């Protein structure tokens, strides 16, 4: 059986660009696993997925004011992560499922996603994120984004929103690893995975579902099950060769419009915030144990909880005028619906903490990302994101 010319050319291209870049210092690519804080369009390719951000007014501050699949008025955390790695001109790597456009997997699309050509002259490293108004265009960073809105640590929780389970995202990472091993070779793939940071942001939906539906469960046992699954996930990635982990903690989500609209008084959900704190503590202890026992493993734990707490409790320090309502939505706190074309839309989006029922605005996400990227031990530990990606 003869190989097709296109496949041969693609293999050669991937081999050349990998050999050009893997000897350089820093991070050759970035890979992202997680939920709707990081989704850049995955769910648009999942027919049964409930959460989709492909309708106006999502993306109103994005390129051509077009919905991009991000649960944001503009950029989301995946974009700011990419900028920490590659500079302020880039956006998130492409969604993994976009490599299957038209239902057919394309080796060439993977080659483009993992394109290390030195002709892509991105300025890095950076020491701050530039202010963002209207995104001029998409400029996908090197790597792949696997995140799906609704994903939880536990697959049974992911099923609530018909999202891509965390286990399936890991299976997709394994597929990419196997594909690259078969084209550029296993050694170069191992080097790529070892030098590229893998950012994971999950746990938000596990906290949501517990606070909304499952509060009668034993909280300690529930957290233990989450930590065990998270630990298994990280060990699976480590065994694939991943060494640089960027872990995004669970934010101060009990005060989101989604949580507060379910409480008659409109107060924050103490159950959700307490569970988020407990889960974050468990994740940090797990990471410390992993780094002590796994050779070469390094991590940065992003403390989104305290940063979002600061934004909510001291909004005047961040020029926020509304931390109570969603910018886009309907009903009490604008939290009866997700954002859609008939929803109420605020004009001063950079003055709102929340964009929709459960997602921070682009401005708020940038504040959170900058803290984790360049802040001190309160924001990210034991090192910040900028240090992680430079190693």
């Amino acid at each position: 059986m003869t190989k097709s010319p296109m496949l041969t050319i693609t293999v050669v291209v991937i081999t050349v660009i990998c050999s050009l870049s893997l000897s350089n210092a820093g991070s050759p690519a970035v890979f992202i696993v997680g939920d709707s804080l990081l989704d850049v369009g995955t769910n648009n390719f999942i027919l049964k997925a409930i959460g989709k951000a492909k309708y106006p007014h999502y993306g109103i501050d994005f390129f051509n004011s077009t919905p991009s699949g991000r649960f944001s008025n503009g950029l989301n955390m995946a974009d700011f992560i990419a900028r920490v790695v590659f500079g302020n001109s880039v956006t998130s790597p492409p969604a993994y499922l976009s490599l299957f456009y038209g239902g057919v997997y394309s080796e060439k699309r993977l080659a483009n996603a993992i394109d290390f050509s030195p002709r892509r002259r991105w300025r890095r490293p950076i020491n701050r994120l530039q202010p963002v108004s209207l995104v001029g265009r998409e400029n996908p960073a090197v790597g792949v984004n696997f995140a799906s809105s609704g994903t939880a640590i536990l697959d049974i929780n992911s099923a609530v929103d018909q999202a891509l389970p965390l286990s399936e995202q890991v299976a997709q990472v394994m597929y990419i690893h196997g594909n690259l091993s078969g084209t550029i070779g296993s050694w170069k793939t191992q080097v790529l995975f070892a030098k590229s940071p893998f950012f994971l942001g999950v746990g938000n939906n596990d906290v949501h579902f517990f606070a909304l539906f499952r509060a009668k469960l034993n909280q300690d046992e529930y957290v233990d099950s989450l930590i065990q699954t998270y630990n298994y996930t990280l060990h699976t990635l480590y065994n694939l060769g991943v060494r640089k982990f960027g872990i995004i903690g669970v934010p101060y989500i009990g005060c989101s419009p989604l949580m507060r609209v379910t409480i008659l008084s409109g107060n924050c959900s103490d159950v959700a915030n307490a569970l988020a704190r407990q889960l974050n503590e468990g994740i940090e202890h797990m990471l410390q144990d992993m780094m002590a026992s796994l050779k070469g493993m390094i991590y940065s734990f992003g403390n989104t909880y305290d940063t979002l707490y600061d934004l909510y409790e001291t909004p005047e320090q961040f020029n926020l005028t509304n931390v109570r309502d969603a910018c886009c939505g309907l009903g009490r706190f604008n939290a009866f619906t997700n954002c859609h074309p008939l929803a109420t839309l605020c004009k001063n989006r950079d003055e709102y903490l929340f964009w929709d029922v459960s997602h921070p605005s682009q401005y708020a996400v940038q504040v959170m990302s900058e803290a984790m990227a360049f802040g001190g031990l309160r924001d990210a530990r034991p090192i910040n994101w900028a240090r992680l990606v430079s190693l």
Side-chain angles (χ1 to χ4, degrees):
M1 181 178 177
T2 60
K3 293 183 179 179
S4 69
M6 178 58 70
L7 179 58
T8 302
I9 292 171
T10 301
V11 171
V12 171
V13 169
I14 297 178
T15 304
V16 170
I17 59 183
C18 284
S19 61
L20 284 172
S21 69
L22 292 182
S23 60
N24 296 338
S27 300
V30 59
F31 297 91
I32 297 171
V33 172
D35 57 26
S36 56
L37 288 178
L38 300 163
D39 188 351
V40 294
T42 293
N43 279 22
N44 291 348
F45 296 94
I46 304 174
L47 183 62
K48 63 181 180 179
I50 295 174
K52 291 184 172 72
K54 63 179 183 178
Y55 313 104
H57 303 287
Y58 285 109
I60 191 170
D61 296 313
F62 202 73
F63 179 52
N64 284 341
S65 295
T66 302
S68 63
R70 294 162 171 82
F71 286 80
S72 171
N73 53 304
L75 300 180
N76 70 9
M77 193 169 288
D79 298 300
F80 291 116
I81 287 171
R83 292 182 173 209
V84 174
V85 181
F86 291 113
N88 281 300
S89 65
V90 303
T91 52
S92 168
Y96 170 82
L97 290 183
S98 69
L99 304 178
F100 293 80
Y101 181 78
V104 179
Y105 176 71
S106 171
E107 297 262 358
K108 188 173 183 180
R109 294 189 193 112
L110 177 60
N112 289 334
I114 313 295
D115 176 10
F116 309 121
S117 172
R119 289 176 294 178
R120 299 176 79 169
R121 300 186 183 280
W122 296 331
R123 294 176 295 176
R124 57 175 184 169
I126 60 174
N127 56 19
R128 68 183 299 271
L129 295 169
Q130 292 179 352
V132 178
S133 53
L134 185 68
V135 178
R137 64 187 179 91
E138 277 203 79
N139 182 24
V142 173
V144 182
N145 186 326
F146 303 89
S148 168
S149 173
T151 294
I153 297 174
L154 300 181
D155 284 358
I156 191 172
N157 289 341
S158 300
V160 174
D161 284 338
Q162 297 295 297
L164 202 64
L166 180 60
S167 60
E168 180 61 25
Q169 291 187 38
V170 174
Q172 292 174 350
V173 175
M174 295 173 71
Y175 183 88
I176 291 290
H177 185 280
N179 189 290
L180 289 172
S181 296
T183 53
I184 66 175
S186 59
W187 180 83
K188 289 180 180 178
T189 301
Q190 288 295 103
V191 173
L192 172 65
F193 269 50
K195 297 189 69 174
S196 301
F198 274 67
F199 283 85
L200 289 88
V202 286
N204 302 302
N205 292 308
D206 300 278
V207 172
H208 278 147
F209 299 146
F210 181 89
L212 292 173
F213 309 120
R214 301 175 179 178
K216 291 183 180 180
L217 295 176
N218 181 283
Q219 183 167 314
D220 292 338
E221 293 177 359
Y222 183 69
V223 171
D224 286 345
S225 68
L226 296 175
I227 296 299
Q228 289 173 13
T229 303
Y230 211 138
N231 183 61
Y232 176 80
T233 298
L234 296 185
H235 272 82
T236 301
L237 293 175
Y238 178 86
N239 290 335
L240 286 174
V242 179
R243 295 296 182 266
K244 296 159 68 171
F245 293 88
I247 305 300
I248 303 165
V250 180
Y252 184 65
I253 59 177
C255 295
S256 68
L258 172 65
M259 298 306 303
R260 289 168 54 244
V261 76
T262 64
I263 299 173
L264 187 61
S265 65
N267 293 332
C268 298
S269 169
D270 293 334
V271 172
N273 284 332
L275 180 59
R277 286 195 304 271
Q278 184 177 350
L279 178 56
N280 285 335
E281 290 171 2
I283 292 172
E284 281 207 79
H285 288 311
M286 173 197 67
L287 291 169
Q288 291 165 5
D289 291 342
M290 286 184 64
M291 193 164 73
S293 61
L294 298 178
K295 183 179 179 180
M297 185 250 187
I298 54 175
Y299 73 90
S300 174
F301 176 80
N303 181 19
T304 57
Y305 187 95
D306 284 341
T307 308
L308 190 57
Y309 175 90
D310 292 342
L311 286 162
Y312 184 84
E313 300 292 345
T314 57
E316 65 281 354
Q317 295 184 13
F318 303 93
N319 299 317
L320 295 172
T321 60
N322 193 321
V323 299
R324 159 187 154 121
D325 305 309
C327 172
C328 185
L330 288 173
R332 187 187 186 205
F333 307 135
N334 273 349
F336 282 4
T337 69
N338 256 327
C339 187
H340 57 80
L342 301 180
T344 300
L345 177 68
C346 71
K347 294 181 179 180
N348 49 337
R349 293 181 283 279
D350 284 351
E351 296 179 15
Y352 273 68
L353 174 55
F354 293 100
W355 160 246
D356 64 10
V357 296
S358 59
H359 302 99
S361 64
Q362 172 184 266
Y363 169 75
V365 170
Q366 179 167 357
V367 171
M368 296 165 66
S369 301
E370 184 139 20
M372 292 181 287
F374 309 110
L377 290 175
R378 182 177 185 267
D379 304 307
R381 44 192 178 259
I383 56 176
N384 60 27
W385 289 359
R387 179 60 179 156
L388 177 73
V389 304
S390 70
L391 296 174

